[in-house]
């Protein structure tokens, strides 16, 4: 029994897991994966437990414990989140699971919203975990079922690796009416199985290497891997690139010329199917995003089986090594490969298009916090280490307050490293509340323990803003809907041993500037918590207006760059639809023209 | 015509996502296959956003190929110019007449909306400029711009759905207390622009 529903790829993955009888779902927000766990929370019945964990490592370990106890589990994260979770993932690959575990790691070609263009398919090879790579929301839904089956058959976590254009695409998806009921049988003590030791790891290493061939054979029969077409020119592809290849071949009217090899399980690679494909093709073009994973496998198989076939792709400069594919780019590669005349003119209208870099929202408390620090440090030597979140946008002009950004939590520790070399500089580290809980605390302990000198600025806006307002340990609500004690950032810092901790409302400019000056002058590790809610989780106050005292000096615009402040030939005006009445500009105007 | 491609473009927060959902829902009611794709993430914060909507047979990619959109619904004139290469040669552009100034315009990156309209007039055969403010004022709501633009698009017969289907989608997808203003926006837009 089935029905058609219009689902985003991430919703399809969530429904797939729910229909496959998932019992426990954990994750940490990260574009493009966030909506998976949110959909589970919205659609689950009482038998399903769901949580935003403090970070990906915690999420994976909670899920591992549940899987040891027989539960089907789903863990969701973005690709850089998998780096955070990699310690438990690598060991769990050896130890294995009892209840099925599917790890969703969403890759982001482009990158559109990420620090790196890393390829989870490599991680799957590195960790020796089977990997599914969906080409559409429909396929993502189906793959979740098979991933759970493989996971339980081989007692191994399985990776599902969608990319942004699958996660955030919507499609009419055929979904099941009923769900599989999976009842966990509880944790059964077995130290040889659940306690990782060098000796058992040696045995497990042999076990997981051995399953490669068996899985590779099984994947040759999988509906997610197939060869389509009768032409002599081979095109190998996987993920969203498969959809683009189909569009391109259709548009170029080249179905009679090509044969397509679609790979839905990049690891273990469907070897026999691939060999058949190589043998039947005169030459092969590989269309894939991120790293040349399929391309390398095909080249490897040519060597392994002594096959004569030229493989073209990223290694041969037929396609670029970075950035995402599009229908047009793939059309270009295929046309070129087939000798069809096709050229896509680069569109460059001869006008000055508006430039729209993402900016902090009007009324964003981060703007006020950055401005206060900037003002307090004017003329002083200071370095501002930033972190991952909306507040990375504090780098934009006119604030220009982010000197470094690396990965979650790194602001706190990068600042310490800079201090060791530039000890006459005031080193600031800016961290959001969710990032603080995710991976900032250990960095603060490191700072206090090693007796360094930094000013920690916690930008506490009571939510995980960048990914769309998820709750975290400081918000007092969970994804199960429970109201719990809010974990206090002040008390954590107190417990670590900080002596100067001040909580300030950043919209009180004078008090904020004074706090920063005070903290910067003290020795050791100091903290200021700028506490004001994100505009997305609070009610705006009445919008402000500009009166006739305005002298058109543009100081408000030039100092803080709020999108609600617009300069026109009549002077500065305030966009009432954007203004939240935060009052920061009022405190900057030299002639009291804003009220 | 087997495939209907509609590109919606604008600035984060203008309501392109809801508009694309309405088209998708209405097309699905007609048993069409539908694929859409949205901009989600960092770019939403005041950046350029696009929604791709594809309905009909034989669609694989959720992204519209360049030069194949029969309809381009632009919530902002600069964004219309930015996305114009998606338009098919006989496609129609429905564009809101009000520019959204980027924050960077305050720091010298000038943006001239007239230049955009001149470019559109010169390069688009079927151009419909919609006075979004006028419709919003008539309906006493600044939230109906997306519905008004959608209504004009539906009336061109190049979208996969018609006016009645759009109204049904509004009643199904939008909370009841907003039905009247949105239906009024549809009626006013259709009478005013076609």
């Amino acid at each position: 029994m089935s029905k058609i529903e219009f689902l985003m790829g991430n919703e399809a993955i969530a429904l797939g897991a729910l229909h496959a009888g998932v019992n426990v779902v954990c994750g940490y927000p990260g574009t493009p994966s966030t909506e998976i766990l949110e959909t589970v929370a919205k659609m689950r019945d009482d038998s399903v437990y769901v949580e935003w964990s403090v970070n990906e490592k915690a999420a994976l370990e909670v899920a591992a414990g549940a899987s040891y106890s027989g539960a089907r589990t789903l863990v969701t994260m973005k690709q850089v989140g998998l780096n955070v979770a990699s310690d438990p993932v690598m060991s769990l690959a050896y130890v294995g699971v009892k209840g099925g575990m599917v790890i969703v790691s969403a890759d982001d070609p482009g990158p559109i919203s990420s620090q790196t263009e890393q390829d989870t398919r490599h991680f799957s090879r590195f960790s020796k975990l089977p990997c599914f790579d969906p080409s559409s929301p429909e396929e993502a839904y189906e793959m979740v079922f098979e991933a759970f089956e493989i996971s339980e058959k081989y007692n191994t976590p399985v990776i599902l690796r969608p990319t942004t254009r699958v996660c955030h695409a919507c499609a009419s998806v055929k979904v099941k009416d009923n769900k599989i009921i999976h009842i966990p049988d509880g944790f059964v003590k077995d130290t040889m199985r659940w306690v990782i030791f060098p000796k058992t790891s040696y045995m497990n290493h042999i076990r997981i290497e051995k399953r490669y061939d068996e899985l590779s054979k099984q994947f040759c029969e999988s509906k997610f891997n197939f060869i389509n077409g009768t032409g002599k020119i081979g095109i190998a592809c996987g993920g969203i690139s498969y959809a683009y290849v189909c569009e391109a071949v259709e548009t170029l009217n080249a179905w009679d010329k090509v044969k397509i090899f679609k790979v839905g399980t990049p690891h273990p690679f469907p070897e026999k199917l691939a060999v058949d494909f190589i043998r039947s093709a005169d030459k092969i073009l590989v269309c894939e995003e991120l790293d040349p994973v399929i391309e390398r496998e095909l080249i490897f198989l040519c060597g392994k089986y002594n096959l004569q076939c030229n493989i073209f792709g990223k290694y041969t400069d037929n396609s670029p090594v970075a950035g995402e594919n599009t229908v047009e780019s793939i059309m270009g590669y295929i046309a070129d490969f087939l000798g069809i005349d096709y050229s896509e003119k680069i569109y460059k209208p001869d006008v000055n298009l508006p430039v729209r870099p993402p900016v902090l929202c009007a009324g964003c408390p981060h703007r006020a916090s950055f401005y206060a620090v900037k003002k307090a440090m004017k003329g002083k030597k200071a370095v501002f280490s930033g972190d991952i979140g909306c507040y990375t946008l504090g780098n934009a002009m006119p604030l220009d307050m982010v000197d470094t950004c690396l990965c979650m939590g790194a602001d706190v520790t990068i600042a310490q490293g800079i201090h060791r070399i530039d000890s006459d500089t005031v080193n600031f580290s800016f961290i959001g509340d969710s990032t603080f809980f995710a991976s900032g605390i250990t960095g603060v302990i490191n700072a206090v323990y090693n007796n360094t000198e930094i000013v920690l600025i916690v930008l506490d806006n009571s939510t995980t803003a960048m990914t769309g307002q998820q709750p975290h340990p400081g918000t007092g609500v969970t994804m199960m809907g429970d109201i719990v004690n809010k974990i206090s950032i002040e008390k954590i810092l107190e417990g670590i041993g900080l002596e100067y901790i001040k909580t300030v409302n950043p919209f009180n400019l004078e008090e904020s500037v004074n706090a920063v000056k005070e903290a910067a002058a003290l020795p050791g590790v100091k903290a200021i918590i700028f506490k004001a809610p994100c505009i997305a989780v609070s009610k705006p106050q009445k919008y402000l207006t500009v009166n006739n005292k305005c002298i058109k000096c543009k100081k408000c615009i030039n100092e803080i760059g709020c999108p609600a402040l617009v300069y026109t030939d009549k002077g500065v005006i305030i966009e009432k639809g954007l203004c939240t009445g935060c009052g920061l500009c009022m405190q900057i105007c030299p002639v009291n023209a804003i009220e | 015509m087997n495939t209907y491609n509609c590109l919606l473009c604008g600035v984060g927060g203008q309501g392109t996502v809801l508009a694309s959902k309405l088209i998708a829902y209405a097309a699905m009611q007609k048993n069409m296959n539908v694929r859409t794709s949205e901009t989600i993430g960092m770019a939403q914060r005041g950046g350029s956003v696009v929604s791709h909507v594809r309905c009909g047979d034989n669609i694989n990619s959720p992204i519209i190929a360049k030069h194949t959109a029969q309809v381009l619904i632009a919530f902002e004139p600069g964004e219309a110019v930015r996305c114009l290469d998606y338009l098919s040669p006989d496609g129609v552009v429905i564009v809101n007449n009000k520019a959204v100034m980027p924050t960077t315009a305050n720091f010298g990156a000038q943006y001239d909306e007239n230049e955009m309209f001149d470019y559109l007039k010169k390069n688009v055969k079927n151009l419909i400029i919609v006075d979004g403010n006028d419709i919003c004022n008539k309906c006493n709501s600044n939230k109906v711009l997306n519905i008004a633009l959608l209504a004009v698009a539906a009336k061109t017969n190049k979208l996969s759905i018609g006016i009645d289907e759009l109204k049904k989608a509004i009643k199904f997808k939008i909370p009841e207390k907003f039905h009247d203003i949105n239906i009024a926006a549809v009626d006013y837009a259709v009478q005013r622009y076609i």
Side-chain angles (χ1 to χ4, degrees):
Chain A
M1 294 294 276
S2 63
K3 57 185 173 183
I4 305 280
E5 282 197 38
F6 189 63
L7 298 174
M8 186 193 277
N10 282 342
E11 294 171 329
I13 292 168
L15 275 192
L18 288 171
H19 294 169
V22 76
N23 306 105
V24 170
V25 181
C26 310
Y28 187 76
T31 313
S33 71
T34 313
E35 298 83 3
I36 303 171
L37 193 139
E38 290 181 322
T39 305
V40 168
K42 202 162 65 187
M43 308 295 287
R44 74 184 174 93
D45 60 38
D46 288 344
S47 71
V48 180
Y49 172 79
V50 59
E51 70 170 40
W52 282 129
S53 310
V54 291
N55 62 28
E56 293 86 353
K57 174 172 149 67
L60 202 116
E61 291 159 352
V62 171
S67 283
Y68 290 178
S69 312
R72 282 195 159 185
T73 61
L74 181 77
V75 196
T76 73
M77 62 197 71
K78 69 182 297 176
Q79 87 286 42
V80 286
L82 187 59
N83 302 340
V84 177
S86 64
D87 194 4
V89 170
M90 292 306 291
S91 296
L92 193 62
Y94 278 59
V95 169
V97 295
K98 188 164 78 180
M101 175 190 276
V102 178
I103 302 168
V104 183
S105 170
D107 283 350
D108 185 22
I112 300 170
S113 277
S114 300
Q115 303 98 295
T116 68
E117 274 202 296
Q118 67 191 68
D119 193 321
T120 295
R121 296 176 301 168
H122 280 313
F123 198 97
S124 145
R125 193 184 167 81
F126 175 51
S127 60
K128 305 177 194 300
L129 298 181
C131 177
F132 288 86
D133 182 11
S135 66
S136 66
E138 300 94 301
E139 209 176 37
Y141 176 82
E142 301 270 325
M143 279 179 171
V144 176
F145 290 85
E146 196 161 314
F148 274 117
E149 274 165 33
I150 297 280
S151 173
E152 279 166 9
K153 185 172 170 192
Y154 293 91
N155 297 324
T156 178
V158 171
I159 292 175
L160 176 70
R161 173 267 194 184
T163 56
T164 307
R165 300 300 182 186
V166 172
C167 291
H168 288 163
C170 299
S172 328
V173 182
K174 194 192 274 186
V175 299
K176 293 183 169 54
D177 263 342
N178 50 339
K179 64 174 257 184
I180 295 167
I181 307 289
H182 180 87
I183 298 168
D185 56 356
F187 183 72
V188 180
K189 291 191 182 188
D190 181 351
T191 49
M192 283 304 281
R193 187 168 180 188
W194 304 127
V195 182
I196 195 164
F197 266 120
K199 185 167 185 280
T200 49
S201 290
Y202 171 78
M203 302 301 291
N204 277 325
H205 190 183
I206 295 170
R207 181 178 61 84
I208 59 182
E209 290 296 345
K210 270 194 174 157
R211 74 173 177 230
Y212 183 93
D213 286 345
E214 204 180 319
L215 269 166
S216 170
K217 268 188 207 131
Q218 187 177 340
F219 283 160
C220 288
E221 309 298 321
S222 164
K223 61 182 168 188
F224 306 123
N225 298 314
F226 53 83
I227 296 171
N228 190 6
T230 53
K232 294 297 282 176
I233 309 281
I235 300 174
C237 52
I240 192 68
S241 296
Y242 169 68
Y244 298 159
V245 165
C246 291
E247 293 280 341
V249 171
E250 181 80 30
T251 308
L252 295 169
N253 201 10
W255 279 111
D256 58 328
K257 296 188 187 70
V258 302
K259 173 179 292 209
I260 294 174
F261 177 36
K262 187 265 187 192
V263 181
T265 63
H267 187 84
F269 204 65
E271 202 166 298
K272 189 181 168 299
L273 197 64
V275 169
D276 290 347
F277 173 68
I278 297 170
R279 287 208 167 108
S280 67
D282 290 342
K283 57 177 184 173
I284 294 168
L285 174 71
V286 187
C287 298
E288 62 190 319
E289 285 174 324
L290 304 178
D291 292 333
V293 170
I294 297 172
E295 188 179 345
R296 207 178 178 91
E297 289 282 2
L298 294 177
I299 294 169
F300 166 76
L301 291 176
C302 285
K304 184 175 175 183
Y305 293 96
N306 195 21
L307 306 173
Q308 282 298 320
C309 185
N310 288 329
I311 315 288
F312 297 85
K314 291 175 192 271
Y315 288 121
T316 52
D317 286 336
N318 287 62
S319 58
V321 293
E324 63 169 342
N325 287 334
T326 61
V327 179
E328 298 79 37
S329 69
I330 288 207
M331 195 121 73
Y333 314 146
I334 295 179
D336 187 40
F337 201 61
L338 296 177
I340 298 173
D341 191 32
Y342 169 85
S343 70
E344 171 65 27
K345 265 189 288 175
I346 294 177
Y347 172 67
K348 251 196 166 165
D350 53 348
V351 293
N352 293 312
L353 284 172
V355 185
R356 299 188 197 278
V359 287
L360 293 171
C361 304
C364 174
H366 298 333
R367 176 178 289 103
S369 307
F370 281 125
Y371 184 66
V373 178
K374 185 173 185 168
K375 216 167 153 169
M377 286 297 106
K378 197 167 181 188
K380 299 219 169 63
K381 205 175 156 195
V383 175
F384 309 109
S385 291
D387 214 303
I388 309 290
C390 287
Y391 52 103
T392 316
L393 299 174
N395 76 321
M397 298 305 276
L399 289 171
D400 188 19
M401 282 294 287
V402 179
D403 294 323
T404 78
C405 180
L406 184 68
C407 64
M408 290 283 286
D411 67 296
V412 186
T413 24
I414 294 271
Q416 296 168 38
I418 296 174
H419 169 74
R420 294 297 169 203
I421 303 304
D422 289 352
S423 53
D424 60 337
T425 303
V426 187
N427 278 289
F428 283 85
S429 74
F430 290 86
I431 190 164
D433 41 352
S434 188
T435 309
F436 178 81
F437 289 113
S439 55
I441 298 168
T442 47
V444 182
I445 296 173
N446 192 65
V448 172
Y449 167 55
N450 288 300
N451 198 22
T452 193
E453 197 164 300
I454 59 167
V455 185
L456 175 74
I457 304 278
V458 183
L459 303 167
D460 182 357
N461 62 359
S462 304
T463 190
T464 315
M466 175 104 271
T467 43
Q469 293 85 45
Q470 289 75 29
H472 64 62
T475 61
V477 285
T478 71
M479 277 314 254
M480 293 295 280
D482 296 330
I483 304 300
V484 293
N485 282 338
K486 293 181 184 178
I487 296 177
S488 155
I489 297 174
E490 285 93 333
K491 284 189 178 155
I492 291 173
L493 294 173
E494 243 175 68
I496 294 173
L498 269 70
E499 282 170 11
Y500 183 95
I501 305 161
K502 193 155 200 175
T503 302
V504 192
N505 177 354
F507 291 119
N508 187 332
L509 185 58
E510 195 184 338
E511 198 189 334
S512 300
V513 171
N514 288 340
V516 175
K517 282 183 178 162
E518 193 175 46
L522 291 169
V525 182
K526 297 83 58 174
I528 295 171
I529 301 166
F530 281 123
K531 197 170 173 63
C534 171
I535 63 153
V537 296
S538 57
K539 277 221 161 96
Q541 290 163 284
K542 193 177 183 305
Y543 59 84
L544 304 175
T545 50
V546 181
N547 62 30
N548 56 14
K549 286 187 228 159
C550 177
I551 52 169
K552 301 186 187 179
C553 70
K554 286 170 84 174
K555 185 175 180 200
C556 53
I557 289 173
N558 291 333
E559 293 277 299
I560 57 172
C562 173
L565 294 167
V566 180
Y567 191 74
T568 67
D569 43 11
K570 295 180 204 102
V572 175
I573 57 159
I574 293 178
E575 288 268 2
K576 60 181 180 184
L578 289 177
C579 177
T580 64
C582 79
L584 180 64
C585 55
M586 274 169 74
Q587 299 169 70
I588 288 161
C589 178
V591 292
N592 294 322
I594 301 173
E595 54 187 22
Chain B
M1 199 189 305
N2 290 327
T3 308
Y4 294 86
N5 294 329
C6 172
L7 190 85
L8 301 101
C9 61
V11 178
Q14 280 192 306
T16 52
V17 175
L18 176 63
S20 77
K21 284 211 162 87
L22 289 171
I23 304 174
Y25 172 81
M28 277 187 70
Q29 298 309 302
K30 298 169 78 175
N31 291 321
M32 295 173 103
N33 267 321
V34 182
R35 288 191 192 277
T36 69
S37 183
E38 313 283 1
T39 314
I40 297 175
M42 196 178 238
Q44 281 176 295
R45 306 271 181 276
S48 307
V49 294
V50 290
S51 293
H52 299 250
V53 185
R54 310 194 63 206
C55 314
D57 309 324
N58 215 1
I59 44 174
N60 292 288
S61 163
I63 312 276
I64 298 169
K66 301 274 167 76
H67 319 298
T68 65
Q70 294 94 356
V71 182
L72 173 63
I73 303 178
F75 289 55
E76 207 277 343
E79 298 311 309
V81 176
R82 198 190 308 279
C83 294
L84 202 57
D85 59 337
Y86 282 97
L87 192 70
S88 69
D90 54 354
V92 58
V93 175
I94 292 115
V95 58
N96 180 28
N97 71 344
K98 186 176 181 253
V100 177
M101 286 298 150
T103 323
T104 50
N106 289 321
F107 307 106
Q110 282 311 312
Y111 166 42
D112 179 5
E113 57 189 276
N114 294 322
E115 195 186 357
M116 302 300 144
F117 285 112
D118 290 345
Y119 186 87
L120 289 171
K121 283 172 191 160
K122 206 167 77 189
N123 291 284
V124 180
K125 244 189 322 189
N126 305 311
L127 178 68
I128 305 174
I129 299 172
V130 175
D131 187 343
N133 270 0
D134 168 52
I135 296 175
C136 289
N137 288 339
K138 282 276 186 321
C139 299
N140 286 320
S141 161
N142 56 3
K143 304 271 185 211
V144 298
L145 171 68
N146 52 2
I147 301 298
L149 293 171
L150 209 49
V152 178
K155 191 71 187 167
T156 63
N157 290 329
K158 291 191 183 229
L159 203 59
S160 49
I161 60 166
I163 294 294
D164 290 343
E165 288 149 349
L166 172 62
K167 285 184 177 173
K168 271 187 211 152
I170 289 169
K171 284 184 179 154
F172 193 82
K173 282 287 186 193
I174 293 179
E176 201 178 337
K177 59 179 174 179
F178 302 119
H179 284 181
D180 288 349
I181 51 165
N182 280 299
I183 299 293
V186 172
D187 288 335
Y188 181 72
V190 166
Q191 159 236 308
R192 172 88 171 66
Y193 287 98
I194 303 287

